[in-house]
């Protein structure tokens, strides 16, 4: 006998499982091949894994393979168990049955979750059984993995169920699911493109703090496994080590003893798991109010219809509208070097894009192509909205274009241009502060000519390059500024600018200011010097002569290099050409590579080898003498280098 | 008792039910008739708990049906588009129904194997429309419902099977007091089984009465008048339709046969006779006033 009020119906539960068994059964069978492979390997080889290997394997699987698999499988399971809501005959049967919506919801949700869990039970159960038999089970790692998988299932199944509740059309469930999963990232990109079209220098909106609304991307970013190689590293990481299977491995791997293997980002995964539960509860509330007659409709609730219609219009205006502008205006009527939009054509294209989205959404909602009658008001709202948005952006009420931080606001700043990637912390030294002032002056100089920069077109650049004649010294270059502020904010700007050799000596020209910075004493030294957080390792000589220097010889030559850099003996840079001299001093086709190590106290706590390349020029008297003193090269080598230079006029 | 009081249901601006009101007494067979799009299937979907009314009440035994498992357990329905799972057999569907309906009668299920002569292990989707309808009857009757709601139930069945299923239903009505609400366009058949009739049009129930009341309250009068004398009948005679063939005039008049005949006799016809109307005729002439008369089309 059926109880009067029941929250679960056994018949429906097993009916769902039996109807869709090829899906979960097939996947479980495929998943079972992994432990079978492991079993065969154990039976036929001498490989004997230990609990560390198991933890490492499980963490790797749960961070790399599980999220995309669960992401895809969840929408499939949810679409199957809720498919009846999309067909009027099926919904007629299910809602005629003598159970209430809560019972139907709980039963269908549980059957979907069961379908999701079964492949994991298959692979996990068999693997644990084998691990137990062979004695390499890591219970803590298993627990972490189970918890992470449950959270991921909760999140993605919850989201897919929520999507199934919002729509009554089977094809719309995966479409909506994809959209909701990537909406934040998509909008961020679209708004970035829009901002860059109206604000000189702006290339993105730095809104990565909204990435958590795109769960798959956020999980990929934060949920990772890590290894700690050496015992003396990991006490420094005590703050990170929360979800760690403390497993010691005696055997040396790559000269290191693995000490720990763990999961980073489990906190975020747990929060996502809770969000999944919240979505399931929300879906239940929606299901209770859902009208059966909405089967087959794209929007299952009447209030969602304008949201869908105008949401599609906004997305289409920002994506298709901008695409139309770039295809049909930018490509034919002179694209701007700084990717800025021309106001009227941009507004027209975005209106067109918005209207296309609006009418397509209307056709889907009405299930008819005849949606134009009476739609004038909606179309007018879209056009007015686009015009208002573009006008506001053009007026720049947030001072996006003119914003340059004060020196005292800046924690660190980076300046990237052709031939130089510079990074300064103004608080570190007076030299760094001076360089930061120079960077700010370059930024200000660019903004002083913002109208000219905004109007620059590709045609202007081509004309300037052509007019400069053969071997033109005119280049289109990019200047990128990134300021990390003390208040935690970031400001980044990128400008395209046409540089010319004729202006490089002019201290008032932008070209001259950049050249002065790149060839200042601090930057020259930085081209050679090992960073303060690095450890000098060795020197390598490459090119016309090859040698490796270590120990006292390497230190001796390195000090000579520093002396040359300090005295300005290393070649200046034609910064948009890279490593060539503008002083007429021959640069030999030979380099010294300064190798040093950097310890990364991040997730994987490893030591990286980094290097700096310094081209050897005739003016580097200290370095050449040090190389001769250490016997690394001979006078014949220098003579040979000079001959080679004369022959090819390298750098001339 | 089934009651629908002033039910209103609107689909995207279209008013499918516009204050519909019906009352189905316990143990009766209620025929719901009306033209296509009148709202019969919509009212049935309300009664089976699929739809919730925008306003008004849809009650079974005094309680709303929507989201009421106890009342829904008393109801079994055969919609005009009965749903079965894609690869399900009759046996699969029997297990499904048995899991939901507390009164599901397995003995009856076994007995009906002989009545319907269908293979319970063949996929239902491979069966003809009529066989699928038989399968629907087989399973629905086994639920032992107190209220049986049928939308175009015998559509697709052959004459023998039609008689068979009507016989089974009438047996349940007489033996177990089952209440049947049936919507059909086959008025000849309804006339044989219904004791109450409701006529719907444009989302409203135009009238509902016992069939005998209905037939007593409308009469077909045939009269022959003297040559050259065709009297204009008085306005108080509620004449729904007039036609004549030669000198024989046929009037459809609202009222009892005796009263109408007495009134007409005062005009001294050569001959006057009152005949009962079939349900089909009542349907046609009642809806004639609702701009739903059979139109004379000149080709």
């Amino acid at each position: 006998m059926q109880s009067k009020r029941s929250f679960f119906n056994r018949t429906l539960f097993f009916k769902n499982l039996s109807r869709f068994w090829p899906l979960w059964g097939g996947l479980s069978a495929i998943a079972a091949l992994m432990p079978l492979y492991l079993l065969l390997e154990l039976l036929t080889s001498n490989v004997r894994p230990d609990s560390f290997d198991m933890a490492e394997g499980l963490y790797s699987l749960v961070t790399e393979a599980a999220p995309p698999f669960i992401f895809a499988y969840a929408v499939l399971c949810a679409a199957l168990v809720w498919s009846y809501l999309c067909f009027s005959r099926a919904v007629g049967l299910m809602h005629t049955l003598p159970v209430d919506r809560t019972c139907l919801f709980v039963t269908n949700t549980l059957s979907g979750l069961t379908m999701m869990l079964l492949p994991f039970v298959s692979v996990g159960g068999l693997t644990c059984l084998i691990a137990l038999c062979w004695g390499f089970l890591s219970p803590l790692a298993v627990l972490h993995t189970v918890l992470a998988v449950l959270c991921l299932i909760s999140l993605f199944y919850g989201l897919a169920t929520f999507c199934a509740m919002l729509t009554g059309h089977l094809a719309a469930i995966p479409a909506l699911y994809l959209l909701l999963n990537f909406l934040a990232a998509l909008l961020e990109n679209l708004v970035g493109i829009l901002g860059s079209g109206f604000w000189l220098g702006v290339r993105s909106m730095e809104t990565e703090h909204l990435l958590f609304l795109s769960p798959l991307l956020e999980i990929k970013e934060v949920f990772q496994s890590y290894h700690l190689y050496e015992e003396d590293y990991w006490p420094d990481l005590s703050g990170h080590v929360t979800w760690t299977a403390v497993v010691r491995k005696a055997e040396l791997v790559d000269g290191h003893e693995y000490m720990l293997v763990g999961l980073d980002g489990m906190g975020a995964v747990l929060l996502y798991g809770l969000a999944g539960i919240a979505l399931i509860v929300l879906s239940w509330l929606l299901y209770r109010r859902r009208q059966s007659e909405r089967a087959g409709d794209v929007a299952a609730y009447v209030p969602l219809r304008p949201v869908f219609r105008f949401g599609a219009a906004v997305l289409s205006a920002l994506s298709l509208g901008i695409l139309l502008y770039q295809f049909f205006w930018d490509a034919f009527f002179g694209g701007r070097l700084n990717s800025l939009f021309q106001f009227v054509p941009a507004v027209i294209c975005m209106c067109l894009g918005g209207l296309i989205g609006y009418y397509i959404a209307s056709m889907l909602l009405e299930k008819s192509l005849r949606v134009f009658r009476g739609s004038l008001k909606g179309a007018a709202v879209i056009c007015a909205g686009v015009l208002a948005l573009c006008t506001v952006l053009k007026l720049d009420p947030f001072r996006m274009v003119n914003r340059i931080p004060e020196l005292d606001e800046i924690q660190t700043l980076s300046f990237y241009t052709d031939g130089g990637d510079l990074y300064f912390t103004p608080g570190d030294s007076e030299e760094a502060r001076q360089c930061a002032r120079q960077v700010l002056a370059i930024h200000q100089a660019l903004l002083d000519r913002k109208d000219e920069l905004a109007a620059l077109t590709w045609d202007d650049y081509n004309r300037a390059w052509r007019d400069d004649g053969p071997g033109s010294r005119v280049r289109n270059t990019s200047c990128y500024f990134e300021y990390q502020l003390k208040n935690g904010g970031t400001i980044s700007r990128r400008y395209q600018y046409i540089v010319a050799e004729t202006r490089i000596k002019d201290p008032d020209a932008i070209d001259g200011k950049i050249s002065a910075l790149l060839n200042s004493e601090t930057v020259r030294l930085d081209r050679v010097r090992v960073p303060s957080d690095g450890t000098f390792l060795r020197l390598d000589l490459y090119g016309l002569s090859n040698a490796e220097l270590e120990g006292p010889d390497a230190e001796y030559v390195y000090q000579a290099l520093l002396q040359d850099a300090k005295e300005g003996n290393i070649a200046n840079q034609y910064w948009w050409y890279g490593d060539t001299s503008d002083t007429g001093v021959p640069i030999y086709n030979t380099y010294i590579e300064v190798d040093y190590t950097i310890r990364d106290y991040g997730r994987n706590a490893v030591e990286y080898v980094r290097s700096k390349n310094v081209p050897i020029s005739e003016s580097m008297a200290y370095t050449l003498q040090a190389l001769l003193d250490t016997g690394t090269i001979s006078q014949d080598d220098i003579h040979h280098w000079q001959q080679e230079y004369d022959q090819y006029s390298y750098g001339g | 008792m089934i009651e629908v009081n002033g039910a209103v249901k609107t689909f995207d601006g279209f008013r499918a039910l516009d204050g519909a009101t019906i009352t189905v007494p316990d143990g009766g067979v209620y025929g719901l008739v009306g033209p296509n799009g009148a709202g019969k299937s919509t009212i049935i979907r309300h009664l089976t708990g699929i739809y919730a009314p925008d306003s008004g009440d849809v009650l079974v035994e005094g309680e709303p049906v929507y989201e009421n498992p106890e009342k829904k357990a008393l109801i079994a329905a055969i919609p005009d588009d009965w749903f079965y799972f894609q690869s399900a057999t009759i046996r699969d569907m029997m297990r499904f129904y048995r899991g939901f309906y507390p009164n599901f009668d397995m003995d009856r299920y076994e007995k009906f194997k002989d009545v319907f002569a269908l293979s319970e292990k063949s996929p239902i989707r491979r069966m003809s429309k009529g066989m699928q309808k038989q399968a629907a009857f087989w399973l629905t009757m086994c639920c032992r419902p107190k209220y049986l709601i049928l939308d175009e139930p015998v559509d697709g069945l052959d004459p023998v099977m039609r008689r068979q299923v009507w016989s089974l239903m009438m047996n349940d009505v007489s033996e177990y007091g089952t209440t049947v609400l049936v919507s059909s366009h086959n008025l000849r058949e309804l006339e044989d089984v219904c004791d109450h009739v409701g006529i719907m049009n444009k989302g409203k129930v135009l009238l509902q009465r016992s069939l005998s009341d209905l037939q007593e309250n409308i009469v077909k009068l045939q009269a022959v008048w003297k040559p050259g004398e065709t009297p204009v009948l008085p306005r108080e005679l509620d004449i729904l339709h007039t036609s004549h063939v030669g000198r024989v005039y046929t009037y459809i008049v609202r009222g009892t046969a005796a009263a109408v005949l007495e009134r007409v006799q005062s005009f001294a016809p050569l001959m006057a006779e009152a005949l009962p109307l079939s349900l089909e005729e009542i349907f046609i002439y009642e809806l004639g006033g609702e701009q739903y008369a059979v139109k004379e089309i000149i080709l």
Side-chain angles (χ1 to χ4, degrees):
Chain A
M1 278 291 282
Q2 191 88 4
S3 68
K4 280 192 173 179
R5 285 278 173 185
S6 171
F7 295 106
F8 178 77
N9 185 281
R10 200 170 158 270
T11 305
L12 181 60
F13 179 80
F14 285 108
K15 186 74 197 168
N16 278 338
L17 291 187
S18 67
R19 280 177 74 199
F20 307 124
W21 75 264
L23 179 69
W24 59 261
L27 279 172
S28 301
I30 291 168
L33 292 177
M34 275 197 280
L36 184 66
Y37 179 86
L38 177 66
L39 180 67
L40 288 173
E41 194 176 26
L42 289 168
L43 290 173
T44 57
S45 74
N46 293 325
V47 175
R48 286 294 172 265
D50 57 20
S51 54
F52 182 91
D53 296 322
M54 184 180 189
E56 194 180 30
L58 285 179
Y59 288 164
S60 167
L61 273 176
V62 79
T63 54
E64 287 165 27
F69 171 75
I70 294 171
F71 169 77
Y73 187 43
V75 71
L76 211 56
C77 290
L80 286 176
V81 296
W82 298 114
S83 60
Y84 73 88
L85 291 173
C86 302
F87 301 98
S88 59
R89 285 176 65 214
V91 83
L93 170 75
M94 300 302 279
H95 289 173
T96 305
L97 297 171
V99 286
D100 61 14
R101 297 278 181 107
T102 302
C103 177
L104 281 176
F105 184 85
V106 171
T107 309
N108 281 320
T109 302
L110 287 178
S111 46
L113 286 171
T114 307
M115 280 159 58
M116 291 214 64
L117 278 171
L118 283 169
F120 288 97
V121 171
S122 153
V123 67
L126 288 172
T127 306
C128 286
L129 198 66
I130 292 167
L132 201 62
C133 293
W134 265 262
F136 61 88
L137 186 73
S138 169
L140 200 57
V142 170
L143 189 70
H144 291 163
T145 305
V146 168
L147 197 59
V149 165
L150 287 177
C151 287
L152 291 171
I153 286 176
S154 162
L155 167 70
F156 288 117
Y157 187 75
L159 189 57
T161 300
F162 181 66
C163 293
M165 289 306 125
L166 294 183
T167 181
H169 199 287
L170 194 58
I173 296 174
L176 191 62
Y177 179 73
L178 277 176
L179 185 69
L180 285 187
N181 255 294
F182 297 106
L183 186 62
L186 181 70
L187 277 176
E188 183 190 329
N189 276 306
L190 291 176
V191 171
I193 292 170
L194 189 66
S196 69
F198 284 95
W199 297 325
L200 178 71
V202 174
R203 290 302 163 99
S204 71
M205 300 309 291
E206 290 105 32
T207 52
E208 281 197 352
H209 51 275
L210 288 180
L211 195 67
F212 76 95
L213 291 173
S214 296
L216 187 65
L217 299 179
E218 179 75 357
I219 285 169
K220 187 175 178 297
E221 188 74 20
V222 302
F223 187 46
Q224 294 182 2
S225 65
Y226 63 84
H227 310 94
L228 304 185
Y229 288 76
E230 292 176 355
E231 194 163 12
D232 57 337
Y233 277 23
W234 75 271
D236 297 329
L237 293 155
S238 51
H240 293 254
V241 184
T242 313
W243 297 90
T244 304
V246 184
V247 183
R248 288 171 185 278
K249 190 174 173 72
E251 147 191 1
L252 287 177
V253 179
D254 296 335
H256 298 286
E257 187 180 4
Y258 279 114
M259 296 305 299
L260 300 173
V261 56
L263 285 174
D264 215 0
M266 264 302 281
V269 172
L270 285 174
L271 282 177
Y272 274 126
L274 292 176
I277 293 169
L279 281 169
I280 289 175
V281 172
L282 188 60
S283 303
W284 168 64
L285 294 173
L286 283 172
Y287 184 53
R288 291 182 63 195
R289 298 177 62 86
R290 188 183 173 111
Q291 294 176 314
S292 307
E293 59 268 30
R294 292 289 161 202
D297 287 1
V298 172
Y301 302 88
V302 175
L304 280 182
R305 294 165 71 90
V307 174
F308 177 70
R309 204 174 255 137
F310 287 100
V314 169
L315 280 180
S316 180
L318 292 180
S319 53
L320 184 64
I322 290 171
L323 209 61
L324 286 172
Y325 174 83
Q326 284 168 344
F327 267 117
F328 294 105
W329 187 266
D330 233 21
F332 297 109
F333 302 101
R336 303 291 174 94
L337 209 59
N338 276 292
S339 307
L340 287 172
F341 295 159
Q342 294 176 55
F343 188 78
V344 175
V347 169
I348 292 171
C349 289
M350 285 171 66
C351 282
L352 201 60
L355 290 175
I356 291 171
Y358 176 76
Y359 282 114
I360 288 177
S362 300
M363 287 169 189
L364 289 171
L365 284 172
E366 305 300 333
K367 292 180 235 170
S368 164
L369 297 179
R370 296 176 182 177
V371 294
F372 297 101
R373 185 181 290 175
S375 66
L376 219 61
K377 202 191 283 180
V381 167
I382 288 160
C383 294
V386 167
L387 183 63
L389 175 70
C390 292
T391 306
V392 167
L393 291 173
K394 182 83 178 164
L395 295 174
D396 189 15
F398 308 111
R399 288 191 65 245
M400 296 294 283
V401 176
N402 292 319
R403 171 98 163 103
I404 298 180
E406 296 293 327
L407 185 58
D408 291 335
E409 288 180 77
I410 300 169
Q411 183 72 41
T412 64
L413 66 82
S414 305
F415 175 60
Y416 303 106
T417 188
D418 294 345
D421 295 345
L422 310 181
Y423 175 82
F424 305 107
T425 306
D428 274 2
S429 64
E430 184 48 41
E431 289 81 11
R433 205 171 166 78
Q434 178 55 33
C435 288
R437 277 194 205 98
Q438 284 181 271
V439 172
L440 291 173
I442 293 166
H443 195 166
Q444 187 58 55
L446 285 162
L447 283 186
D448 290 344
R449 293 172 59 189
K450 65 182 178 193
D451 293 337
E452 187 191 327
L453 288 181
L456 275 179
T457 63
W458 286 101
D459 288 344
D460 293 333
Y461 168 61
N462 291 334
R463 200 177 306 115
W465 187 82
R466 207 171 41 240
D467 291 350
D468 204 38
S472 172
R473 292 291 191 149
V474 169
R475 286 287 181 276
N476 165 33
T477 192
S478 139
C479 299
Y480 179 68
F481 303 84
E482 187 176 296
Y483 306 97
Q484 297 290 338
L485 304 181
K486 287 175 181 169
N487 66 8
T490 305
I491 297 174
S492 60
R493 298 287 183 267
R494 184 191 295 276
Y495 306 92
Q496 290 300 126
Y497 174 64
I498 298 172
V499 295
E501 186 181 18
T502 50
R503 293 192 295 265
I504 206 139
K505 295 281 167 51
D506 179 359
D508 296 326
I510 295 168
D511 320 47
K513 287 179 193 296
I514 298 172
S515 191
L517 172 67
L518 287 172
N519 294 299
S520 65
E521 186 182 325
T522 309
V523 176
R524 269 203 323 268
L525 267 171
D526 280 348
R527 296 217 308 261
V528 175
R529 191 165 45 193
V530 172
S532 57
D533 55 346
T535 307
F536 177 73
L537 188 63
R538 62 176 174 262
L539 293 178
D540 291 311
L541 193 66
Y542 288 120
L544 297 176
S545 296
N546 294 304
E548 187 178 299
L549 285 88
E550 287 184 315
D553 284 355
E555 186 61 37
Y556 178 64
V557 176
Y558 174 61
Q559 290 304 327
L561 265 174
L562 288 176
Q563 193 61 31
D564 275 328
K566 194 169 184 184
E567 294 188 13
N569 297 337
I570 65 171
N572 283 351
Q573 284 185 306
Y574 263 145
W575 42 276
W576 65 95
Y577 273 178
D579 303 325
T580 57
S581 167
D582 67 342
T583 57
V585 178
I587 291 185
Y588 307 129
N589 196 16
T590 302
Y591 301 82
I592 287 187
E593 191 180 87
V594 181
D595 295 333
Y596 58 95
T597 56
I598 290 275
R599 273 186 178 183
D600 177 7
Y601 285 104
R603 194 170 284 127
N604 283 318
V606 288
E607 201 173 62
Y608 296 105
V609 175
R610 296 272 185 267
S611 58
K612 292 187 173 191
N613 272 329
V614 186
I616 299 178
S617 65
E618 194 177 44
S619 56
M620 292 166 67
Y622 292 104
T623 306
L624 289 170
Q625 188 57 51
L627 288 170
L628 288 169
D629 292 349
T630 53
T632 312
I633 60 168
S634 65
Q635 281 293 349
D636 287 345
D637 289 326
I638 297 177
H639 184 64
H640 174 62
W641 293 354
Q642 283 167 341
Q643 281 180 331
E644 286 284 322
Y645 177 80
D646 291 339
Q647 189 178 343
Y648 297 108
S649 295
Y650 183 85
Chain B
M1 188 163 70
I2 294 174
E3 290 169 282
V4 178
N5 299 323
V8 173
K9 184 72 179 176
T10 308
F11 299 124
D12 295 332
F14 171 70
R15 225 168 161 83
L17 288 185
D18 189 7
T21 298
I22 61 172
T23 306
V24 183
D26 278 344
V29 180
Y30 189 104
L32 197 57
V33 299
N36 298 326
K40 302 184 297 294
S41 293
T42 306
I43 216 165
I44 282 176
R45 288 186 187 125
H46 280 84
L47 286 169
T48 50
I50 301 171
Y51 292 169
D54 295 341
S55 63
D57 299 311
V58 179
L59 310 171
V60 166
E61 297 184 346
E63 287 182 33
V65 184
Y66 190 75
E67 281 291 85
N68 189 339
E70 291 89 54
K71 295 302 164 201
K72 280 161 86 174
L74 304 175
I75 303 168
I78 302 179
D80 57 346
D81 52 355
W82 183 61
F83 179 80
Y84 49 86
F85 297 113
Q86 185 61 19
S87 53
T89 62
I90 293 174
R91 194 157 188 85
D92 291 335
M93 290 305 288
M94 175 273 289
R95 288 196 194 105
F96 185 74
Y97 276 78
R98 196 176 56 183
F100 286 95
Y101 288 93
N103 298 326
F104 195 90
D105 188 339
M106 273 310 287
D107 290 341
R108 187 172 240 210
Y109 176 81
E110 295 298 330
K111 282 179 192 161
F112 278 0
K113 279 182 186 172
D114 297 333
V115 175
F116 291 105
L118 298 171
S119 163
E120 60 171 341
K121 289 178 182 171
S122 300
I124 299 172
R125 69 170 190 277
R126 298 227 176 108
M127 296 177 179
S128 70
K129 186 184 171 189
M131 290 162 88
Q132 289 179 3
K133 207 80 175 186
Q134 288 181 48
F137 265 106
W138 183 353
L139 295 168
T140 307
M141 300 289 283
C142 291
C143 294
R144 287 267 185 221
K146 189 170 177 190
Y147 299 96
L148 187 58
I149 297 177
L150 310 165
D151 195 357
E152 297 291 349
V154 292
D155 189 26
L157 294 181
D158 63 66
V160 174
M161 194 46 71
R162 278 174 187 230
R163 184 158 295 205
Q164 177 72 71
V165 297
W166 281 124
S167 155
L168 289 169
M169 279 192 288
M170 289 307 108
N171 185 58
D172 274 12
V173 170
S174 60
E175 202 166 325
Y176 303 105
T178 305
T179 304
V180 180
L181 184 142
V182 54
S183 142
S184 176
H185 288 120
N186 192 332
L187 303 182
R188 263 303 306 130
E189 268 176 350
L190 285 187
E191 196 168 14
D192 290 342
V193 295
C194 292
D195 43 36
H196 284 76
V197 171
I199 299 179
M200 285 193 80
N201 192 28
K202 294 178 183 170
K204 291 187 170 85
V205 178
L206 301 180
L207 63 89
Q208 59 168 339
R209 255 170 240 168
S210 70
L211 191 60
S212 54
D213 277 358
L214 202 60
Q215 285 176 326
E216 277 172 15
N217 202 42
I218 190 164
V219 65
K220 179 157 62 175
L221 179 78
Q222 288 191 326
V224 181
W225 306 102
K226 291 172 189 165
E229 285 183 20
T230 309
V232 177
L233 295 178
R235 281 191 159 207
E236 61 263 30
L237 272 178
D238 188 0
I239 299 172
L240 299 175
H241 188 260
T242 306
S243 62
H244 69 97
V245 179
R247 288 164 59 201
V248 179
Y249 282 76
T250 305
Y251 304 95
I252 306 296
V253 189
R254 215 187 286 279
T256 61
V260 170
L261 208 51
E262 187 187 340
R263 192 76 186 85
V264 170
Q265 289 293 2
S266 62
F267 293 90
L270 289 177
M271 188 277 284
E273 187 183 16
L275 302 167
L277 261 72
S278 68
L279 182 58
E280 192 166 284
E281 286 170 315
I282 295 170
F283 177 78
I284 289 167
Y285 294 121
E286 284 289 349
L287 286 177
E290 291 285 312
Q291 288 81 44
Y292 195 68
V294 176
K295 295 184 175 58
E296 291 181 24
I297 300 166
I298 300 166
L299 298 172

